[in-house]
Amino acid sequence: MEFHIDLGPQYEGESIRKEDFYVEFGGSAVKYKFERATLKSPEEVEHEKVEIIGSDIKDLEEGGSYPLAILIDVAGEELEPDMEPVIERRIHMYSNYVEGLWHMAQRNDIWLRLSKNSFKKGLNSLREVGEIYNFLFTSEIPQIEKIQTTFITDEKRIEELLPSALEVYEARDARARELKDEDVDEFYYCVLCQSFAPTHCCIVTPSRLANCGAMNWFDCKAAYKLDPEGPIAGFPKGECLDPLKGEFSGANKIVAEKSLGNYDRVYLHSAFEHPHTSCGCFQAICFYIPEVDAFGIIHRDYGGVTPAGLKFSTMAGDTSGGKQVEGSCGMALELLRSAKFFQADGGRKRLVWLPKEIKERYKEFLEADGVYDKIATEEDVSNTDELVEFLEKVGHPWIKGEVELPG
Ligand code: SF4
Ligand code: ZN
């Protein structure tokens, strides 16, 4: 295959700065965006077809941010529906193989940038990106017998299709919520993001999905089956050393090995002492607020600041890079629904600040813990002094000392 630009894992670590992109797709400035892989029957897939619905790169104005949906349809006798999320996550990996193309996040959070350099070299059409996907997917995953790629840049069309994609994501997450760490003997790890964060290793258990939100325990199981030599693999969870903090001998061993000795312990359910590392594509950050000795969460798409006056991008800089950062943990938003959500630290009952959108999205779970109407949002407070005041006024159970830490 001949392309205008070079391809390979060596491009995975490259980032594209604001001044250097020709166009970008998705990101927080764009409302409608998602990516999705779908398993179809062979008759439904026209092999190696690339379709573009809406404007192509060359028709777009330089420097702009545009909506985008990426649809990858695959067929193959050995493929299983469980493998859809795995194939979908590979969009991230293969996009980053492309010289001058950068891909971040997943599902309905995607963010892509094309560099001016690669545009100049001739990568001026999504058709070529689709041909690259078709080529990489079939050469790297032999179980894919047929593939077709569709790009949609037409905002209305993406808006129409987004709800069905959200339903699919939700169905995947709902199934995963049923299972707990105690129910299985095998956990999984993923080192797909080591190209950006060399000491980062996601530990995925039934009660803790991966930071990117794109991989739960079932997805990892399917990924391992699809590609036993790939970045995701299973390991025996070993002895449970601390059920509350979520410390397991098997996970410690893997973290020591995959972080090249940088870390030798990991707590899956605590933000203190040995918290999980964060790469760069977490959906949200759970952060400690010293003034109230409690936690807040900020997510990637939230454009405002925390009560401490910090933006997501600033906080992400301090959280990412594959470090264990006490009191600042990258996380999947879906983790908010886990029964073990930072359970050693007080869990959802110790949350005191959330962006309004997140508070509403997880209302049911926050209500069940009796904190929904006690949590401040950007509409209630704009600095930590006001936060302290707010929490006292509403009588947040954590502030009143009514939440007992387990153990
Ligand atoms: Fe894998 Fe974790 Fe990166 Fe997701 S965030 S792709 S699970 S390493
Ligand atoms: Zn990552």
Side-chain angles (χ1 to χ4, degrees), residues 113-375:
R113 276 179 174 175
L114 171 69
S115 76
K116 286 179 183 162
N117 246 338
S118 287
F119 179 80
K120 256 189 242 146
K121 282 192 177 175
L123 187 59
N124 60 12
S125 173
L126 288 166
R127 183 162 307 282
E128 184 161 337
V129 179
E131 283 166 5
I132 293 170
Y133 287 159
N134 291 347
F135 166 70
L136 285 174
F137 271 103
T138 45
S139 43
E140 303 248 330
I141 308 176
Q143 294 96 328
I144 296 179
E145 292 166 30
K146 290 175 95 179
I147 182 166
Q148 69 189 16
T149 298
T150 309
F151 295 99
I152 310 175
T153 57
D154 180 276
E155 185 171 30
K156 267 207 78 148
R157 195 74 194 105
I158 304 173
E159 185 182 355
E160 281 162 21
L161 291 173
L162 184 60
S164 67
L166 294 178
E167 260 171 48
V168 171
Y169 306 146
E170 169 53 24
R172 290 178 193 163
D173 294 341
R175 180 167 77 135
R177 283 200 291 274
E178 306 280 301
L179 208 67
K180 299 206 166 27
D181 292 353
E182 299 84 294
D183 303 332
V184 302
D185 294 320
E186 193 166 49
F187 289 171
Y188 293 89
Y189 70 81
C190 177
V191 288
L192 194 64
C193 289
Q194 285 206 340
S195 47
F196 295 96
T199 55
H200 175 71
C201 167
C202 268
I203 302 290
V204 183
T205 77
S207 305
R208 185 193 187 282
L209 75 163
N211 296 1
C212 56
M215 301 298 262
N216 63 39
W217 186 86
F218 285 101
D219 303 335
C220 289
K221 192 171 176 216
Y224 189 32
K225 194 168 167 196
L226 187 69
D227 183 7
E229 306 295 319
I232 296 168
F235 64 89
K237 73 176 180 186
E239 194 188 334
C240 180
L241 304 172
D242 189 324
L244 276 174
K245 291 177 178 154
E247 185 180 19
F248 294 85
S249 63
N252 284 348
K253 203 171 140 222
I254 286 294
V255 161
E257 192 185 309
K258 301 296 166 192
S259 73
L260 306 170
N262 276 277
Y263 302 107
D264 57 4
R265 295 179 75 180
V266 62
Y267 291 168
L268 302 175
H269 309 307
S270 172
F272 298 118
E273 291 178 89
H274 308 286
H276 195 285
T277 56
S278 308
C279 49
C281 49
F282 36 80
Q283 285 182 302
I285 300 168
C286 181
F287 60 94
Y288 181 67
I289 309 172
E291 291 83 352
V292 286
D293 183 33
F295 288 93
I297 289 175
I298 183 168
H299 67 303
R300 191 174 289 277
D301 272 358
Y302 172 66
V305 294
T306 65
L310 298 172
K311 277 186 156 177
F312 179 85
S313 52
T314 314
M315 300 189 63
D318 295 331
T319 307
S320 62
K323 291 167 290 183
Q324 288 191 347
V325 187
E326 277 197 85
S328 197
C329 301
M331 59 173 263
L333 281 169
E334 178 64 20
L335 192 69
L336 262 167
R337 292 196 171 111
S338 169
K340 295 187 194 287
F341 169 81
F342 293 103
Q343 64 174 9
D345 311 327
R348 287 182 291 262
K349 291 185 178 149
R350 198 168 171 180
L351 288 173
V352 293
W353 185 88
L354 292 174
K356 176 109 193 288
E357 191 202 329
I358 298 304
K359 184 174 161 180
E360 293 310 318
R361 207 189 296 177
Y362 297 93
K363 182 175 182 183
E364 187 192 333
F365 289 77
L366 298 168
E367 267 179 343
D369 280 344
V371 288
Y372 171 74
D373 52 359
K374 314 285 182 195
I375 295 175

